[in-house]
Amino acid sequence: MGATARQDRAERHDRWLRTLLPERAGVALVAVGGLGRRQCAPHGDLDLVLVHTGVPGIDDLAASVWYPIWDARLQLDHSVRTVGEALSVALDDVKVSLGLLDARYVAGDRAVAEELVRTAADQWRRTAVRQLPALRETTESRWRTHGELAFLLEGDLKEAAGGLRDVGILRAIATAGLTDALRPAVRAAHLRLLDTRDALHQQVGRRVDRLLAQERAGVAALLGLRQPSAGGSAAPPGTGGPQLPPDAAPQLPPGGGSEPGARRPSATVPEPGNVVGDGDALLRRVAGDARTVSHALDDAWRAADRLRARRRRGADGRLVRRPVARDVVEHDGELVLARTAIGARPDPALSLRVAAAAATTRLPIARATCEWLAAYCPPLPSPWPAEARAALVTLLGAGPGLVAAWETCDRYGLVDAWLPEWPRLRSLPQHNPVHRYTVDRHLVQAAAEASRFAREVERPDLLVLGAFLHDIGKGLPGDGTAGGHPAVADHSVLGAPLAEAVATRVGLPPAEVALIGTLVRLHLLLPDVATRRDLDDPVTITRVAEAVGDLATLDLLHALVRADAAATGPAAWSDWKGRLVADLVGRVRTALDTGALPAPPEPDPALLAEPLPVVHLTPDTVAVAAADRRGLLATVAGCLALHRLEVVAADAATVDGRALVTCRVQPRYGLPPDPVALAADLRRALAGDVSVIQRLRGRALAARTDGAAPRVVWHRDAATDAVVLELRAADAAGLLHRVTSALDAAGVEVRAARISTLGGDVVDAFYLVGSGPDDETRARLETTVLAAV
C-alpha cells in the first residue's frame, strides 16, 4: 500500500503494455483513470485509449492489444479514437473531458499521445466554465445515489460524496484555473483514502470500493490502525476533532508527504493474527478525510458559480448586499458579516446567529466569515443568554437547511465552542445495522426531521432540542449500541443526565430541563412497547401512561420517535410499526385523558361459527381455529415459516372448546405466498398432518452465528395474567416455530407473542400464562429456549 506501491503497479502495467503494441507511426497507447495517474489499486481495472491518426488496420491492431489483456483476466475499459474524435466526444460528455485530463503516454508514437494530452487540457481550460453545470448535475446525482462518505457506516470510498471520485473533480477545477482546489489538506486526505481503498482490495481479494462493516477491522489492521489493547493508538491525531479547512496544514501519518508525486512508504502489513484492527478508528479517519474533500469541493463549486455570475453581469455589474439577519448579510451568494459586526466587539451569540441565518436561508457561509468567527467570537457564558438560545432553536428547527449549515460550522470548530460534548460524538460509529449514519450526523438529521412535526406539539423548541440530544449517551462506557461493548445501561439512561446538563447550560428553566431529560430517557419507550408488548393488556397501557405522565410529553415522544426513525434509515420504520405506535399513543392518550383502559378484544365470530378447521387469510393477517389442543401456535408458526411469512404478532386463546390463533404477518422476502397453497397447508397442519412441519425441519432453518450469544430476559409485572419471557437473538426463518414448540414441550402455555426485528436481530416477547415460574423452572425454561435457538 502507499504511493510507492501504486506507482510500482503502474510501472509494471506500463512495461507489459509496451510489449503488446508494436512500434508504428501514428498510433499510441494512452492510459487514463488510475493507470493514467499512476494510482493503480491492487485489483483496479485498466482504462486505455488507442489514439491514431487514421492509419489503416487500426481495428486489428486494437484487437491485438485488447485480447491479451482480457486473457489475463484484467478488467478493461477501452476506446479507439483519433485526437479529433476524442476531443469531440469530450465536448459532448463531461466525464470524458475529465478522463482525458489524466491521459498519459504508455506506448507507441509519443508525439500522438502528447498531442492528445496537450489539446485535451487546453480544450478543458477553454470550456470548463461552460461544462461545469453538467458536471455538477451528474455529481449531485451520484451523491443522491451513494450518499455522503463522511457520515455513512458502509460508504463507497470512490463514488460517495467526499470520496475519490470527488478528488478527480477537484483536480479538474484546479486544472481549469478556477480556484486552488488541491490544497495540502486535500492532497493528504486523498492519499489516505487511496491507502484505505488499497487495503480494502487486499483484504477482500478483489475489486471493491464499499467499506463494509465486516471488513473494517481487517482493513484497519493492514493500515496499522490498532485497537488500544493491541498496543496501538485508537485513531490518528486530529481525526476526532474539528476538521481542518482545506488550506490548513494537513495532519499526516508518520512519514507522510502531501505534495503531488511525493512517495510515501507503504503501510506495514502485520502478520495475520498478531494485530486487531481498530475499525472505529478507521471509520473516523475516513470520515475526516471525506469531510476535507467535501468541504474543498463545496468551496470550488461556489468559486465557479461566482465566476460565472460575474461574467454574466459584465464589467459594470454590481454585487448585491442584502441583510438577512442581525449582523449578517448576503454578498455574492454567500453569507458574510455586516461591517458593523466586524468593527465592534462581537457578542458570544454571533456565530449562532450566522449559523441560524445560513440554515433558514439555505445560503452558504463564506469561508472568511467562518475563519473570523472561529478566531474572534468569544465563548458563550453559562447559562447562555436568551439571544443565543433563540438562535440555537432557530438553527435546529430550520429543517432541510440545518445539515449543511451545521457541517460548515463543525468544519471550522464553531460547534465545539457551543457544545464541549461534540468531539466525542463526531464520526462516532454505530454498530446497529439499521443505522445508516454516524452518531453526530444522526443527531443533526433527527433534529432536521423533527421540524416536520413542529405543529403537532405544544413545545416545538423542546422537540428539536430533544431530538438533537436523544442519542448523546451513545459511545460512553457501559453503552453497547455504539462501541460494541456489553451494555450495562441503555444509552437513553446514560444520556439523560448529559442532555439535562446541556439544557441547563443553554439556559432552560428547571422544568424544561427535566422534560428534556425525560424525552432522552424515554425516546425508545413507544416503539419498544408497541412492538414487544400486548397493547390489549391494561397493564401495558397503564405502565406507559405512568411513565409519560401527561399528554404534552406523549405528543413530544410520538414526534421524536418518527423523527428518530427517519434519521436512522429505511429499516427502522415500516407502515406496520407506524400503525402500532399510533395505536399505542391513542390508547395511552385515552388513559391519560379519561382513565379508560382497553377492553379485552372480542374474537372474530367467524372463527367460532364455521366448521373446524377454520382458516381466514388477508394480506397481513392469518387467523385459524381448530379443536382445542396444545401446540397450535407452534404449528401455525411453522406453517407460516414454510411459506416464507414472518410473524410480527401472534395471539392465542381458547373459546368454547376452540383454540384460536391470530397472526399478523409480512412476507420475509417481499413477495407474498400463494394463498391457496398456504390455506391448504394450514388446514392439513391443523388436522394433525405432521408432514407439513417435517418439510420445515427438512430445510434446516438455523439462526446465523455472529459471535453474540442469545439472551433471555424475564418481565414478571409486564402483563395482567402472564409473565413475559423476552428472547434476544439473531433473526432466522422458523425461529418462532422452534421456540414455541420448545415452550409447548416444556408444558408452558403461550397466549401471545410479539416479534420486533432490529436489523439482523430480533426481540421476541412470549406471554406465558400464569403468575410466573419459580427459579428452578425459570432456569429450565431458559435452557430449553436457548437450545431451540
Side-chain angles (χ1 to χ4, degrees), residues 13 32-36 39-48 69 74-78 158 197 201 207:
H13 283 311
V32 294
L35 181 58
Q39 294 171 352
C40 293
H43 295 281
D45 58 358
L46 300 182
D47 296 315
L48 299 172
I69 297 174
L74 295 175
Q75 294 182 334
L76 173 65
D77 187 359
H78 62 92
K158 184 176 182 180
R197 198 260 306 269
H201 282 205
R207 179 187 177 186

Side-chain angles (χ1 to χ4, degrees), residues 368-459:
T369 299
C370 292
E371 292 170 346
W372 191 93
L373 290 171
Y376 299 111
C377 194
L380 287 157
S382 182
W384 289 10
E387 186 180 15
R389 186 166 59 253
L392 177 65
V393 171
T394 301
L395 172 62
L396 295 178
L402 166 62
V403 174
W406 189 274
E407 176 63 12
T408 298
C409 295
D410 194 21
R411 165 189 180 185
Y412 289 94
L414 301 180
V415 175
D416 290 5
W418 305 335
L419 300 169
E421 299 84 358
W422 196 250
R424 179 181 61 82
L425 300 170
R426 183 182 291 110
S427 303
L428 180 65
Q430 306 199 68
H431 294 271
N432 190 316
V434 301
H435 274 279
R436 185 182 184 190
Y437 295 122
T438 52
V439 172
D440 57 337
R441 174 57 183 273
H442 173 68
L443 294 177
V444 177
Q445 192 71 39
E449 298 289 348
S451 66
R452 296 189 292 119
F453 307 107
R455 298 182 181 180
E456 299 182 15
V457 298
E458 292 183 7
R459 293 296 303 271

Side-chain angles (χ1 to χ4, degrees), residues 259-297:
E259 295 306 312
R263 286 179 172 263
R264 301 172 62 228
S266 300
T268 302
V269 180
E271 295 183 7
N274 292 345
V275 172
V276 179
D278 191 338
D280 288 359
L282 172 63
L283 197 64
R284 281 187 141 160
R285 191 177 90 166
V286 168
D289 292 336
R291 277 175 157 165
T292 298
V293 172
S294 292
H295 298 155
L297 189 52

